[in-house]
Amino acid sequence: MKNILLIILMLAFQLGQGITFNMGGVMSVGWILALGYTCLFLFKSPLFKIKEFQYISKLYLLLILFQILAEFMAGNTFNNGIKGVAINVVSYTSFFFLLNLFIKDPKLIVWTFVGSILRIIIFGKESESTAEEALAGEDATFLKFYLGPIIIYFMLILSVFFQKKTFTYIFMYTGLFFIVAGARSLGLITFLIGAFIWFVRFKKKNVTVVLKKYALIFVAIFYGLYCIYASNVMNGTITAGNNTQLTNSDNPYNPLEIIKYSRTDTWVAVNAFIDKPLWGHGSWATDPGFKYHMMIAELKKGDFNINNVTNLIPGHSVIFGKGAYSGIFVMFLTILIIYFFVKRAFLLQNNDSVYIFILMYCMYSLIWNSLFSPVGHLRDSFPLYFAFIYVCWLNNRTQFIQRQVEE
């Protein structure tokens, strides 16, 4: 009965994120559930006996306080400021809610992805952040934000039950297919999951050591594959995806060019941060004279059309978007929170478990979205990554202590 209740809570949270309403800003039933749970159980939670949890909670508290200060100092409107602060509050409450469920039963991660698949099928989007990316003009929209996530979530569910070498090949081949079909970031993440788990699980290699020892060789191999991809795009063999990013570039064989053209919002967010580094422009700040949108048009070598853009400052990066909107203190605290979880996920790469595919997916997605996805990911996808990485870390540490005691 207890497990059924946990499954119901997890599915309610995942599906509830698809049921949104306006409350000064977009809110969802899932976030309200997490907020209510946190209000009821946070202050008597035994998690506060763990110093690491105290540390991450203090970082979140500072993030919220500095966000409030930044909105005030930037002269932001009350409504926009509240929406900016709410992202941080929802992020923490969702993290706390999911962490408590995973501590009770890590297998709930399977139901997490079941809920995510159902949410996409029913509501047609994964989260508000993916909807924002699609509206911002992302290409291969159906594959990136609908079909691709469904496929990768289904594969992650299966990864808990299938431990054979063949499954790593399926991930690698699927990743290559996604890249060629236009979902390059999702494809790269999927390919890396399969490749590194093949090293850990079947070659019994320490990934950290392998990366340090063969880093240059890996770079050379990936660059060679990129050149093959770019060559096939230029000669018209590969036509899927936004290939104008390469055909319009000055040097299509420079991998940074593909980031420059596909993630211009990130480059622009850096410039917006430099313009107001201390307190930022404010959440949902208006783009003055469409300065930053014209900068995007210039980077893409296209014509600026005022009818095709919003009047808000673009910021396609959790880290640099936070800097652009809320200044250096908020950006620094955001980096510390992300680093806390990335570091632990990196250290767990060499511990083969039934959840290794999911752990690596969380780590690679966390890194990529921190750099190249909208700020809303801190509220939408990051709590899941944070909670699952941390429960894996806690379980691994417990097992280590038990082994020490037994010896």
Side-chain angles (χ1 to χ4, degrees):
M1 185 67 185
K2 179 182 177 182
N3 286 341
I4 293 175
L5 177 60
L6 295 176
I7 291 170
I8 291 172
L9 283 172
M10 182 61 76
L11 290 176
F13 176 74
Q14 292 297 333
L15 291 172
Q17 290 185 69
I19 305 172
T20 59
F21 54 92
N22 195 297
M23 204 174 77
V26 175
M27 284 296 290
S28 79
V29 172
W31 300 336
I32 295 296
L33 173 62
L35 180 62
Y37 183 94
T38 303
C39 290
L40 287 173
F41 299 109
L42 177 65
F43 297 105
K44 56 183 179 182
S45 174
L47 285 170
F48 280 108
K49 296 177 182 179
I50 305 172
K51 288 186 178 180
E52 287 181 334
F53 184 78
Q54 293 177 24
Y55 170 74
I56 202 66
S57 296
K58 288 175 182 176
L59 287 181
Y60 260 112
L61 178 59
L62 288 173
L63 179 66
I64 293 167
L65 293 175
F66 272 99
Q67 181 88 46
I68 294 171
L69 180 60
E71 303 292 355
F72 175 78
M73 296 301 293
N76 203 4
T77 65
F78 179 79
N79 188 52
N80 285 344
I82 286 294
K83 289 193 289 185
V85 175
I87 286 179
N88 305 326
V89 174
V90 171
S91 178
Y92 181 76
T93 56
S94 297
F95 161 65
F96 179 77
F97 173 77
L98 290 169
L99 180 60
N100 276 272
L101 293 188
F102 287 143
I103 285 176
K104 292 179 175 67
D105 187 0
K107 292 188 181 70
L108 285 170
I109 190 65
V110 170
W111 291 101
T112 303
F113 291 125
V114 169
S116 297
I117 291 172
L118 291 174
R119 185 173 70 236
I120 296 171
I121 292 173
I122 295 170
F123 300 104
K125 61 184 179 181
E126 185 179 0
S127 67
E128 287 302 311
S129 293
T130 54
E132 180 183 342
E133 289 172 284
L135 290 171
E138 288 283 353
D139 294 273
T141 302
F142 180 76
L143 178 61
K144 288 182 178 180
F145 305 120
Y146 189 85
L147 183 59
I150 289 176
I151 292 173
I152 188 65
Y153 292 158
F154 183 67
M155 290 169 62
L156 289 171
I157 291 171
L158 293 180
S159 73
V160 177
F161 306 99
F162 293 92
Q163 309 294 317
K164 301 294 184 181
K165 185 185 296 186
T166 305
F167 211 67
T168 62
Y169 297 144
I170 291 174
F171 264 79
M172 286 188 273
Y173 291 142
T174 303
L176 292 174
F177 167 76
F178 283 159
I179 291 171
V180 172
R184 288 183 289 256
S185 57
L186 181 63
L188 179 62
I189 289 170
T190 307
F191 177 83
L192 289 176
I193 291 170
F196 283 117
I197 291 175
W198 181 78
F199 271 106
V200 171
R201 179 170 288 172
F202 301 105
K203 290 299 178 180
K204 306 300 180 183
K205 299 291 185 181
N206 184 302
V207 173
T208 309
V209 174
V210 168
L211 287 174
K212 289 180 179 178
K213 191 173 181 180
Y214 300 106
L216 293 178
I217 295 175
F218 282 131
V219 170
I221 291 172
F222 278 115
Y223 180 69
L225 292 172
Y226 170 79
C227 288
I228 293 172
Y229 168 76
S231 178
N232 279 277
V233 168
M234 300 302 289
N235 64 29
T237 303
I238 297 176
T239 57
N242 187 11
N243 294 319
T244 56
Q245 295 170 358
L246 285 177
T247 55
N248 290 342
S249 65
D250 297 325
N251 182 7
Y253 294 98
N254 180 357
L256 293 178
E257 289 289 325
I258 205 168
I259 296 177
K260 175 183 175 183
Y261 285 99
S262 64
R263 290 293 182 264
T264 49
D265 292 44
T266 302
W267 298 94
V268 168
V270 174
N271 282 273
F273 166 66
I274 292 172
D275 288 343
K276 286 192 175 182
L278 190 58
W279 301 113
H281 299 260
S283 299
W284 279 266
T286 301
D287 185 354
F290 292 95
K291 170 185 175 180
Y292 299 110
H293 283 92
M294 286 192 284
M295 193 179 295
I296 289 175
E298 184 179 346
L299 284 170
K300 289 185 174 181
K301 299 181 180 178
D303 295 326
F304 173 70
N305 186 342
I306 194 172
N307 297 317
N308 293 336
V309 299
T310 67
N311 65 339
L312 303 179
I313 295 175
H316 221 69
S317 169
V318 172
I319 290 175
F320 296 115
K322 275 292 190 181
Y325 303 144
S326 307
I328 191 167
F329 300 111
V330 168
M331 184 175 75
F332 179 67
L333 288 164
T334 303
I335 291 172
L336 287 180
I337 291 171
I338 293 169
Y339 175 75
F340 176 89
F341 295 104
V342 170
K343 177 183 177 181
R344 281 153 183 78
F346 186 79
L347 294 173
L348 288 170
Q349 284 186 105
N350 298 302
N351 297 313
D352 187 12
S353 75
V354 295
Y355 302 117
I356 187 66
F357 282 88
I358 297 173
L359 179 69
M360 287 197 175
Y361 170 78
C362 291
M363 182 180 72
Y364 296 144
S365 297
L366 178 56
I367 293 170
W368 180 267
N369 291 331
S370 295
L371 295 172
F372 302 118
S373 292
V375 169
H377 274 273
L378 181 63
R379 168 199 62 200
D380 297 334
S381 62
F382 282 18
L384 172 61
Y385 305 154
F386 292 167
F388 192 71
I389 288 171
Y390 193 53
V391 81
C392 288
W393 175 257
L394 290 176
N395 288 342
N396 182 74
R397 192 171 67 175
T398 301
Q399 291 169 9
F400 175 78
I401 293 172
Q402 287 175 346
R403 287 196 299 270
Q404 293 292 99
V405 170
E406 290 171 359
E407 292 175 359

